[in-house]
């Protein structure tokens, strides 16, 4: 899943460590989120949304969905 966490964090002048403290997660978790190596849990995604003041749809972009499987 693509996301804008790094961009939104940088716009606020926050380090990864500062964001991690605000979210009560490790800096490594923030790094993994920003690089797309880790998808957040739903509660963490909502905390990010509230903290960054952006709706989820403005933070996260789902990967391309596979084409529907045709049984014909």
């Amino acid at each position: 899943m693509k996301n804008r966490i790094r961009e939104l964090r940088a716009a606020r002048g926050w380090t990864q460590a500062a964001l991690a403290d605000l979210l009560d997660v490790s800096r490594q978790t923030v790094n993994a989120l920003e690089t797309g190596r880790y998808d957040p849990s739903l509660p963490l995604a909502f905390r990010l949304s509230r903290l960054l003041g952006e709706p989820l749809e403005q933070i996260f972009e789902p990967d391309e969905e596979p084409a529907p499987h045709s049984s014909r």
Side-chain angles (χ1 to χ4, degrees):
M1 179 173 2
K2 296 176 186 171
N3 68 71
R4 298 177 49 227
I5 297 170
R6 181 178 307 219
E7 170 193 338
L8 295 168
R9 173 183 58 77
R12 287 153 180 78
W14 297 341
T15 63
Q16 286 184 343
L19 180 57
D21 285 346
L22 292 168
L23 292 170
D24 198 26
V25 298
S26 70
R27 188 199 57 77
Q28 289 82 7
T29 297
V30 171
N31 182 270
L33 288 167
E34 288 185 354
T35 57
R37 289 182 288 120
Y38 171 69
D39 289 335
S41 65
L42 196 52
L44 180 55
F46 277 106
R47 286 199 326 257
L48 271 165
S49 175
R50 281 193 299 271
L51 189 61
L52 296 171
E54 298 279 345
L56 290 174
E57 302 84 12
Q58 296 298 316
I59 300 172
F60 300 99
E61 180 181 331
D63 292 330
E64 293 287 325
E65 294 188 27
H69 184 71
S70 175
S71 60
R72 294 181 192 182

